[in-house]
């Protein structure tokens, strides 16, 4: 029962944050949103891709999550990092879908990889600071499960680089 509640809790974080990003895009308008989206994620403009631009958003998100997990009072904000990433995911998804020529870019690259990143970051959050579990917050988690999460993040980054470099024109 505890796992089911946790899955619904994390799925609702992703869904609500994504929808909030869509609503924010419509409130701000496409003219103002384009400069914001391209400032945060210049890869969406079709610029030359670099490994640094690929790794930076993931490293920053993981770094913030690890930083928040180290302090007792900041642990309540750990899922906010993933919610903000999912909000930008929804915001930039509407931006890409509004550009008709970017449909395949969205379908092949942006949506699947950003969704997987958000899910893996939520799993990392749950490993470091469990939402509803029988163990107490702060109890040691096996390093093997955290290492598997980092390996999965690395595999997804490599797959994203392959898709961006070789599959998409």
């Amino acid at each position: 029962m505890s796992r089911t509640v946790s899955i619904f809790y994390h799925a609702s974080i992703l869904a609500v944050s994504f929808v909030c990003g869509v609503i924010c895009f419509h409130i701000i308008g496409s003219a103002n949103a384009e400069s914001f989206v391209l400032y945060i994620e210049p890869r969406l403009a079709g610029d030359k891709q670099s490994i640094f631009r690929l790794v930076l958003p993931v490293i920053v998100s993981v770094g913030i999550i690890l930083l928040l997990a180290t302090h007792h009072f900041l642990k309540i904000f750990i899922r906010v990092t993933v919610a903000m990433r999912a909000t930008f995911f929804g915001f930039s998804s509407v931006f890409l879908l509004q550009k008709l020529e970017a449909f395949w870019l969205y379908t092949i690259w942006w949506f699947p990889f950003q969704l997987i990143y958000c899910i893996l970051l939520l799993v990392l959050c749950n490993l470091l600071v469990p939402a509803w579990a029988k163990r107490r917050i702060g109890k040691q988690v096996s390093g093997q499960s955290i290492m598997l999460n980092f390996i999965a993040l690395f595999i997804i980054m490599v797959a994203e680089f392959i898709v961006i470099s070789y599959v998409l024109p």
Side-chain angles (χ1 to χ4, degrees), residues 59-71 78 81 124-125 128 146 150:
I59 295 297
V60 167
S61 297
V62 169
I64 291 172
I65 287 171
L66 291 175
L67 181 69
L68 292 175
T70 59
H71 197 274
I78 195 166
T81 304
L124 181 63
C125 288
L128 296 174
I146 294 175
F150 284 129

Side-chain angles (χ1 to χ4, degrees), residues 93-155:
S93 293
V94 176
F95 169 74
L96 278 175
L97 288 175
Q98 194 174 32
K99 294 171 41 178
L100 295 177
E101 67 272 1
F103 178 74
W104 289 112
L105 181 74
Y106 175 76
T107 306
I108 295 173
W109 166 58
W110 185 252
F111 185 80
F113 285 102
Q114 295 306 312
L115 181 62
I116 292 170
Y117 281 138
C118 288
I119 291 170
L120 286 175
L121 289 174
L122 276 175
V123 168
L124 181 63
C125 288
N126 202 34
L127 287 173
L128 296 174
V129 181
W132 290 288
K134 294 178 182 161
R135 62 179 183 206
R136 288 186 6 233
I137 293 176
K139 185 176 178 184
Q140 293 294 327
V141 178
S142 70
Q144 182 180 10
S145 57
I146 294 175
M147 187 56 73
L148 284 174
N149 192 296
F150 284 129
I151 290 170
L153 279 168
F154 178 74
I155 290 170

